[in-house]
Amino acid sequence: MKEVIRSVLSALGYRVEGIRYTPRQLLDPNRRRELRFDDVICRHMFEHGQECIFIQVGAYDGISTDPLYKYVGRCGWRGVLLEPQPRSAASLRQLYQDNDKIAVLEAALDRQRGRRILYTVATDDLPDWAGGMASFYREHLLKHEYLLPGVGERVREVPVDCVTFDDVLERLPGDKLDLLQIDAEGADGEIIALFPFDRVMPSIVHWEIKNLSRTEQESVLELLGGHGYLVARSGCEDMLAVLPPSAN
């Protein structure tokens, strides 16, 4: 009877696991520790050395909610930071003005070089995190009305330069890429789809998923899985993809 029930539920898409021998503490989500970005990064540095080569798309000011900041200077990381918003890019340049291992590009990542309109939010009297809201799509910013009432009246149009991944990769010291970090306000999936995985395989890909639909998330995971990556959630808002040891 158990096998019949298991087969029926399996056909409906359910996975049945026994919990008879599972400690009760592991059934409490408040007691479980999730895989984090820092777990994967520290393991990678232990195995390959602490200097990581990285690309960061959507670096904002380099500090606010930035998972890379604590490593860049302390561990001697080398990389390229992309940030299209002029004020934020200026903050990045000031932050890393004495670090010759870091290149700041005031540009957005796109399929081809050129100029596009970026929609941003006037944030003089808004929370700091609101400054990171920027998108090629105005409607994406309007989705945040429930958090920022009247946000539509604050939307501004900013012409920005666009570069390709080829332009960015030329700024790296070689073919090695340890980390591709993306935080692009809902464009994360589109940007990952533009990366030339056929030529360069980042050891780790870390991106935001909270603004992606289920279909968009599945499309990204299918693409990365096709290149041999193993995936895991990183907290509630992000996702990690890591090449298995045999592929590094």
Side-chain angles (χ1 to χ4, degrees):
M1 181 60 70
K2 289 182 180 179
E3 291 303 320
V4 172
I5 294 174
R6 187 189 299 270
S7 298
V8 171
L9 291 174
S10 178
L12 294 174
Y14 292 96
R15 178 179 176 181
V16 180
E17 292 185 2
I19 60 171
R20 180 185 303 175
Y21 301 107
T22 301
R24 67 180 185 279
Q25 291 85 351
L26 298 184
L27 301 177
D28 182 353
N30 295 319
R31 295 194 178 197
R32 292 199 306 265
R33 184 185 185 282
E34 297 178 338
L35 180 68
R36 297 288 181 176
F37 174 74
D38 293 329
D39 301 328
V40 174
I41 285 296
C42 290
R43 171 69 179 269
H44 183 80
M45 289 194 295
F46 175 78
E47 294 178 343
H48 302 281
Q50 70 175 14
E51 183 190 68
C52 287
I53 309 299
F54 72 95
I55 293 173
Q56 184 175 19
V57 180
Y60 189 37
D61 62 4
I63 298 177
S64 303
T65 65
D66 191 315
L68 311 190
Y69 175 65
K70 61 186 175 184
Y71 297 108
V72 173
R74 186 184 305 173
C75 300
W77 283 19
R78 185 183 301 273
V80 181
L81 288 73
L82 283 87
E83 174 52 52
Q85 297 190 74
R87 183 184 298 182
S88 301
S91 297
L92 282 173
R93 287 192 291 268
Q94 182 176 2
L95 179 65
Y96 291 114
Q97 61 184 340
D98 298 323
N99 190 338
D100 60 5
K101 292 185 176 183
I102 299 300
V104 177
L105 295 183
E106 185 177 325
L109 205 291
D110 202 2
R111 187 176 302 276
Q112 59 188 14
R113 302 184 191 96
R115 298 272 285 179
R116 289 185 68 175
I117 294 298
L118 185 75
Y119 295 96
T120 66
V121 177
T123 58
D124 292 340
D125 58 346
L126 292 179
D128 291 341
W129 61 264
M133 293 172 57
S135 174
F136 286 143
Y137 308 104
R138 189 176 190 274
E139 58 270 22
H140 175 73
L141 302 187
L142 301 183
K143 293 178 182 178
H144 294 79
E145 176 73 27
Y146 72 103
L147 292 174
L148 301 171
V151 67
E153 300 174 1
R154 296 175 175 269
V155 175
R156 302 291 183 266
E157 297 183 4
V158 180
V160 299
D161 291 325
C162 297
V163 297
T164 68
F165 268 121
D166 285 342
D167 298 320
V168 179
L169 290 168
E170 287 179 357
R171 305 294 294 267
L172 297 180
D175 296 332
K176 176 188 176 185
L177 183 59
D178 296 290
L179 171 66
L180 175 59
Q181 162 69 32
I182 301 173
D183 185 349
E185 284 298 310
D188 305 67
E190 296 177 37
I191 290 173
I192 291 175
L194 293 176
F195 192 83
F197 289 99
D198 58 326
R199 294 190 286 114
V200 181
M201 294 283 282
S203 298
I204 302 166
V205 184
H206 185 234
W207 71 102
E208 187 180 68
I209 60 170
K210 70 176 181 179
N211 293 310
L212 301 182
S213 67
R214 177 179 175 179
T215 299
E216 290 170 327
Q217 291 184 52
E218 291 177 346
S219 178
V220 174
L221 296 177
E222 186 71 19
L223 185 154
L224 292 170
H227 288 290
Y229 284 89
L230 304 178
V231 298
R233 285 192 175 276
S234 175
C236 299
E237 299 182 349
D238 301 315
M239 186 73 73
L240 279 161
V242 181
L243 282 178
S246 59
N248 277 300

